C-alpha cells in the first residue's frame, strides 16, 4: 500500500462505478497501472466488495432491521472468533461487530418483518452455545447510512451561469 | 413621464451590461442542460461552519460589529496569512473585513483611483475589474495576456502600458477564467516594474488555496511589496462560502483606513453571522478545505484529458477551477460556439470574450461539477464537435 493505492481507494469508496480510465485520468496515472493495482487490492480483499446503497424503504419494500446486543462467554482457546463465526455465517446477519463495554457482539439482522427477525433471534441466535443473553432493538428509521444522508435535501441550488 | 435616460449618470450608462446576462437567460430556458458555466464551488459550505453560525445565532450574535470586522476574525486572518506566506499584517489597522472580494475590490479602487487615473488590468480576468475602475472615475487599461505565455502577464507587457497617469496594477492569480498561475520569479520581475514606476498593486488572490501545481506566491510577501500592495482574499472559493459574502483586504494602514471610511458609510460592517462562520472556517476548516481542493485537482486532470481526447486544445490550468480551451479551430466565435453547444448538445459554458476582448476564441468551463456531469458533458461536447463536421484529428493536428 502506497499513496497511490490510498488515493485509488478513496476515490473508489466514494464512487465504485468509475472506470479505470477515469481513475487514471483523475489521479494522473497510467490506465494499466490503475487496473493492476485495483486487481491486487481485490485479491488481497482490501477491496472486499462493490455494492450499492439502496433505500429499500423508499422503494416500498418491507425490510426490517434490528440491532441485537449479544452477551457471550468466550470459549477457551478460540476467544470470540469461533463464536462470531457461528453468528456471521447466517445470511440473515448483515453485520457483526465485537464491542467494548456492556455487551460483546453487536449483530445487525435484516428480515421482511418483525416476527421473522424475532424468531431468528430466539431460535438461531439465542440458542448458540455460550450465548448468555440477547437484547433486540428494532430500527425504526434510517437517517444516514455509510456516510450517506438518505433523504438529503441539499440539491444543487447554484445559478446555472455565474462569473 | 420622467425620462430616466436623461437622469441617469453617464458614467453608469457607459458601463456595458454583464456579458453573461443574455447567456444566463438562454441557459435557464433550455431543458436538460449540464452547466459547466458556474463560477462557484459545487460543494455546500462544510457543516461545522454552518453549525457554528447557527450556534452564534442561538447565542444572539445578531448585531453590528466594528466597521473593520470582528477583531478576533481579523486576528485569525492575519495569523493564516502569516502561516501561509510569512507576511505579517497588524489585525488592528491593516486588515478590513468586507462583503466579499467584490466589495474589497471596489473599495481598493475607489480609495486609490482619482479621476482620469489609469489602472492596468491583465485580461482575460474576472468581470468586475474594468467596470469598478470606471465607476471610481478611472480608466481601465487592458493588457492582453496570451496562451503562448500561459496567460501570465509579463513585466515587459506591463511596462509597455505605463503612462504618467498609471496608478495601479490589478493582479489575479490563480486566474478566473484561465486557471493560470504565476511563479515567484515572474512576480519578482513585475515587482521591479511596480517599484520603478511607483505603482500600487491590487492583488486578488481569492483562489490562492486552489493551486494544484507549484506553490502560490502572495504578492505582498515579495521584498518591499507589502507596503504598496492591497491584498484581497475571501472565503467564497476555498471554503465554499460564496453566498455568505465575506472577504477581506489587507494593506498599509493608511490605505486600509481610507477604505474603511468608504466601507463605514456604505456598508457599515460585514454581516456578523458570516463573520462568525468565517472564524470557524479559519480555525477548524483546513482539513475539509484541503479535501475539496484534492477533489478539484482530480476533476481538473479528468477534464484536461477529456478535452484532449475530443480535440479541443487547452492550456493546462494550474489553479482555480476553470479550464479555458480554445475553440478557434472550429471556425466559430466564442459566443457562437457556446450558443450552439448549449442548444445542440445541452452543455453550458461561458464564452471567453465575457472576460475581456482577448478571451475571444476560448470558452470557460468550470470543473466545480460532479465527475458524472463532467464526463457526460465532455462526451456531449465530443459528439457536438464531430457532428459539426470538425473531425477531432484535424483539430488536434492544428491545435
Ligand atoms: C477572481 C475573482 N475575484 C473575486 C470574485 C468575487 O468573490 P466574492 O464572492 O468574495 O465577492 C470572484 C468570484 O467569482 C472571482 O472569480
Amino acid at each position: 500500500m502506497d499513496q497511490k493505492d490510498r488515493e485509488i481507494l478513496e476515490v473508489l469508496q466514494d464512487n465504485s462505478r468509475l472506470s479505470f480510465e477515469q481513475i487514471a485520468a483523475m489521479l494522473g496515472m497510467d490506465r494499466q497501472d490503475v487496473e493492476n493495482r485495483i486487481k491486487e487490492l481485490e485479491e488481497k480483499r482490501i477491496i472486499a466488495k462493490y455494492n450499492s446503497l439502496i433505500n429499500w424503504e423508499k422503494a416500498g419494500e418491507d425490510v426490517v432491521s434490528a440491532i441485537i446486543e449479544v452477551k457471550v462467554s468466550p470459549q477457551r482457546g478460540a476467544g470470540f472468533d469461533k463464536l462470531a463465526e457461528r453468528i456471521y455465517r447466517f445470511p440473515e446477519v448483515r453485520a457483526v461487530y465485537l464491542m467494548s463495554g456492556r455487551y460483546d457482539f453487536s449483530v445487525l439482522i435484516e428480515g421482511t418483518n418483525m416476527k421473522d427477525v424475532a424468531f431468528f433471534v430466539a431460535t438461531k441466535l439465542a440458542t448458540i452455545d455460550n450465548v448468555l443473553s440477547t437484547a433486540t432493538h428494532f430500527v425504526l428509521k434510517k437517517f444516514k447510512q455509510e456516510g450517506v444522508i438518505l433523504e438529503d435535501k441539499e440539491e444543487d441550488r447554484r445559478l446555472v451561469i455565474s462569473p | 413621464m420622467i425620462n430616466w435616460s436623461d437622469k441617469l449618470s453617464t458614467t453608469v450608462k457607459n458601463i456595458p451590461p454583464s456579458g453573461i446576462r443574455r447567456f444566463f437567460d438562454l441557459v435557464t430556458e433550455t431543458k436538460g442542460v449540464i452547466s459547466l458555466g458556474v463560477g462557484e464551488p459545487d460543494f455546500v459550505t462544510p457543516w461545522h461552519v454552518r453549525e457554528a453560525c447557527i450556534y452564534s445565532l442561538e447565542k444572539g450574535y445578531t448585531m453590528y460589529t466594528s466597521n473593520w470586522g470582528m477583531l478576533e476574525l481579523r486576528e485569525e486572518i492575519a495569523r493564516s496569512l502569516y502561516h501561509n506566506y510569512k507576511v505579517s499584517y497588524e489585525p488592528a489597522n491593516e486588515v478590513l473585513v468586507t462583503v466579499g472580494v467584490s466589495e474589497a475590490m471596489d473599495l481598493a479602487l475607489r480609495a486609490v483611483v482619482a479621476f482620469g487615473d489609469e489602472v492596468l488590468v491583465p485580461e482575460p480576468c474576472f468581470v468586475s475589474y474594468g467596470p469598478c475602475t470606471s465607476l471610481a472615475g478611472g480608466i481601465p487599461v487592458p493588457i492582453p495576456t496570451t496562451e503562448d505565455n500561459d496567460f501570465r502577464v509579463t513585466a515587459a507587457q506591463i511596462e509597455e502600458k505605463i503612462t504618467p497617469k498609471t496608478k495601479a496594477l490589478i493582479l489575479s492569480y490563480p486566474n478566473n477564467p484561465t486557471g493560470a498561475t504565476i511563479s515567484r520569479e515572474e512576480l519578482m520581475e513585475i515587482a521591479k516594474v511596480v517599484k520603478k514606476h511607483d505603482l500600487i498593486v491590487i492583488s486578488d488572490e481569492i483562489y490562492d488555496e486552489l493551486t494544484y501545481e507549484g506553490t502560490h506566491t502572495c504578492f505582498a510577501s515579495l521584498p518591499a511589496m507589502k507596503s504598496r500592495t492591497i491584498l484581497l482574499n475571501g472565503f467564497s472559493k476555498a471554503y465554499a462560502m460564496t453566498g455568505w459574502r465575506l472577504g477581506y483586504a489587507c494593506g498599509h494602514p493608511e490605505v486600509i483606513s481610507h477604505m474603511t471610511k468608504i466601507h463605514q458609510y456604505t456598508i457599515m460592517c460585514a454581516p456578523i453571522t458570516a463573520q462568525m462562520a468565517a472564524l470557524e472556517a479559519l480555525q477548524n476548516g483546513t482539513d475539509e478545505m484541503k479535501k475539496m481542493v484534492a477533489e478539484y485537482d482530480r476533476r481538473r486532470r479528468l477534464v484536461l484529458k477529456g478535452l484532449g481526447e475530443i480535440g479541443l486544445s487547452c492550456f493546462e490550468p494550474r489553479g482555480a477551477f476553470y479550464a479555458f480551451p480554445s475553440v478557434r479551430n472550429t471556425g466559430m466565435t466564442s459566443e457562437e460556439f457556446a450558443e450552439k453547444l448549449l442548444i445542440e448538445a445541452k452543455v453550458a459554458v461561458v464564452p471567453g470574450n465575457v472576460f475581456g476582448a482577448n478571451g475571444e476564441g476560448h470558452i470557460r468551463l468550470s470543473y466545480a461539477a460532479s465527475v458524472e456531469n463532467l464526463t457526460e458533458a465532455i462526451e456531449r461536447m465530443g459528439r457536438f464537435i464531430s457532428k459539426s463536421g470538425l473531425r477531432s484529428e484535424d483539430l488536434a493536428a492544428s491545435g
Side-chain angles (χ1 to χ4, degrees):
Chain A
M1 280 280 294
D2 58 12
Q3 186 52 31
K4 285 284 171 216
D5 285 333
R6 221 166 278 126
E7 280 188 69
I8 290 174
L9 291 176
E10 272 171 29
V11 167
L12 274 179
Q13 181 168 32
D14 190 49
N15 181 357
S16 62
R17 297 183 67 189
L18 294 173
S19 64
F20 296 135
E21 283 82 8
Q22 282 175 312
I23 298 174
M26 287 163 80
L27 303 183
M29 294 171 68
D30 175 62
R31 187 199 165 286
Q32 193 58 49
D33 186 23
V34 170
E35 182 170 347
N36 295 345
R37 282 165 183 269
I38 290 179
K39 289 263 148 68
E40 199 177 322
L41 292 164
E42 288 168 1
E43 267 156 32
K44 289 184 183 153
R45 286 186 61 87
I46 289 174
I47 298 174
K49 189 176 160 78
Y50 301 95
N51 57 4
S52 335
L53 181 59
I54 294 171
N55 187 344
W56 286 110
E57 201 178 316
K58 197 155 192 176
E61 298 295 313
D62 294 324
V63 178
V64 171
S65 331
I67 291 166
I68 327 289
E69 296 174 3
V70 183
K71 282 189 191 160
V72 301
S73 57
Q75 290 165 300
R76 194 180 177 121
F80 288 103
D81 292 359
K82 261 257 147 7
L83 259 167
E85 186 171 356
R86 290 289 304 278
I87 297 172
Y88 65 60
R89 287 287 173 198
F90 289 105
E92 293 86 340
V93 172
R94 305 293 299 173
V96 179
Y97 306 116
L98 179 64
M99 311 297 288
S100 65
R102 280 191 299 105
Y103 57 96
D104 303 300
F105 290 118
S106 175
V107 178
L108 177 67
I109 299 198
E110 265 175 21
T112 51
N113 57 57
M114 276 167 87
K115 222 169 117 189
D116 271 5
V117 173
F119 190 72
F120 176 82
V121 173
T123 60
K124 299 286 197 278
L125 205 57
T127 54
I128 295 173
D129 280 350
N130 297 312
V131 167
L132 303 175
S133 71
T134 63
T136 304
H137 305 275
F138 282 102
V139 174
L140 301 182
K141 182 167 177 168
K142 291 182 183 172
F143 294 98
K144 187 175 183 179
Q145 206 176 343
E146 314 252 334
V148 178
I149 299 170
L150 295 175
E151 285 287 341
D152 207 338
K153 297 179 188 78
E154 287 177 2
E155 50 198 76
D156 192 347
R157 298 198 176 90
R158 296 175 299 166
L159 294 174
V160 285
I161 296 279
S162 55
Chain B
M1 271 292 276
I2 183 166
N3 186 352
W4 274 104
S5 64
D6 289 347
K7 305 284 182 196
L8 291 168
S9 117
T10 341
T11 315
V12 173
K13 279 197 289 186
N14 286 342
I15 306 266
S18 155
I20 281 182
R21 188 67 238 172
R22 193 184 67 87
F23 205 64
F24 178 85
D25 294 339
L26 206 59
V27 178
T28 319
E29 287 160 16
T30 318
K31 287 225 155 39
V33 173
I34 297 180
S35 181
L36 305 184
V38 190
E40 61 179 319
D42 59 320
F43 297 103
V44 178
T45 309
W47 176 251
H48 72 99
V49 174
R50 291 187 272 162
E51 199 268 345
C53 170
I54 294 168
Y55 182 66
S56 79
L57 283 171
E58 283 177 351
K59 298 262 278 183
Y61 285 95
T62 59
M63 51 288 295
Y64 294 131
T65 69
S66 138
N67 295 131
W68 301 78
M70 288 158 36
L71 181 60
E72 211 185 342
L73 176 59
R74 285 181 278 141
E75 282 169 353
E76 210 52 59
I77 290 167
R79 186 196 57 77
S80 107
L81 288 170
Y82 186 76
H83 175 266
N84 289 345
Y85 307 117
K86 300 282 173 286
V87 227
S88 41
Y89 285 106
E90 175 52 57
N93 60 2
E94 294 186 324
V95 181
L96 169 63
V97 177
T98 60
V99 177
V101 168
S102 301
E103 191 215 349
M105 178 58 76
D106 182 41
L107 295 179
L109 286 165
R110 282 204 274 170
V112 302
V113 171
F115 188 77
D117 280 353
E118 293 175 357
V119 176
L120 303 178
V121 185
E123 285 183 347
C125 68
F126 185 56
V127 294
S128 80
Y129 306 157
C132 283
T133 303
S134 306
L135 285 170
I139 299 159
V141 178
I143 306 179
T145 63
T146 60
E147 186 164 5
D148 299 339
N149 196 44
D150 291 351
F151 293 109
R152 295 185 298 242
V153 68
T154 65
Q157 281 181 307
I158 293 168
E159 195 148 29
E160 215 171 89
K161 296 281 183 178
I162 289 174
T163 73
K165 288 256 163 211
T166 309
K167 178 65 82 60
L169 162 70
I170 296 180
L171 288 178
S172 181
Y173 295 98
N175 181 266
N176 174 9
T178 63
T181 57
I182 196 163
S183 72
R184 188 180 173 84
E185 291 68 38
E186 286 159 296
L187 288 175
M188 291 286 268
E189 291 304 309
I190 292 173
K192 278 187 208 155
V193 175
V194 164
K195 198 161 173 208
K196 181 169 153 204
H197 297 275
D198 193 23
L199 302 184
I200 304 287
V201 171
I202 303 175
S203 190
D204 175 353
E205 301 184 16
I206 193 165
Y207 292 101
D208 65 339
E209 297 281 6
L210 280 65
T211 299
Y212 313 108
E213 309 271 341
T215 50
H216 176 76
T217 302
C218 173
F219 195 78
S221 72
L222 300 179
M225 284 300 116
K226 189 192 151 196
S227 62
R228 51 174 74 245
T229 302
I230 307 175
L231 171 64
L232 312 182
N233 206 333
F235 299 86
S236 289
K237 313 293 172 169
Y239 294 97
M241 290 178 68
T242 45
W244 300 78
R245 312 305 308 121
L246 208 70
Y248 53 87
C250 300
H252 191 277
E254 208 161 333
V255 66
I256 291 294
S257 76
H258 283 84
M259 285 168 66
T260 307
K261 203 165 55 183
I262 309 172
H263 174 77
Q264 168 187 343
Y265 292 126
T266 54
I267 300 284
M268 200 95 130
C269 68
I272 189 169
T273 38
Q275 293 192 51
M276 283 294 189
L279 189 59
E280 170 68 19
L282 284 181
Q283 285 173 340
N284 300 309
T286 312
D287 288 356
E288 282 213 47
M289 182 262 287
K290 299 263 188 236
K291 273 190 205 149
M292 293 191 271
V293 175
E295 181 59 27
Y296 293 134
D297 190 17
R298 289 173 193 149
R299 297 169 183 177
R300 175 182 74 102
R301 296 203 198 102
L302 186 75
V303 163
L304 206 57
K305 182 146 180 285
L307 289 174
E309 281 165 5
I310 63 169
L312 280 188
S313 91
C314 185
F315 125 91
E316 183 191 348
R318 302 200 170 93
F321 38 59
Y322 309 105
F324 202 59
S326 165
V327 294
R328 257 185 220 112
N329 294 315
T330 64
M332 289 182 247
T333 64
S334 300
E335 292 203 14
E336 282 166 0
F337 184 92
E339 198 164 325
K340 278 219 173 86
L341 183 70
L342 174 68
I343 291 161
E344 291 176 25
K346 302 211 187 294
V347 175
V349 295
V350 181
N353 57 315
V354 160
F355 306 97
N358 72 317
E360 179 51 55
H362 292 263
I363 52 167
R364 188 195 74 177
L365 181 158
S366 156
Y367 49 85
S370 70
V371 168
E372 287 77 15
N373 278 353
L374 290 170
T375 307
E376 169 70 22
I378 287 171
E379 269 172 33
R380 290 184 190 183
M381 286 172 75
R383 282 197 296 270
F384 168 76
I385 288 171
S386 36
K387 210 174 70 196
S388 315
L390 300 147
R391 281 182 306 119
S392 45
E393 302 89 87
D394 296 347
L395 293 174
S398 57

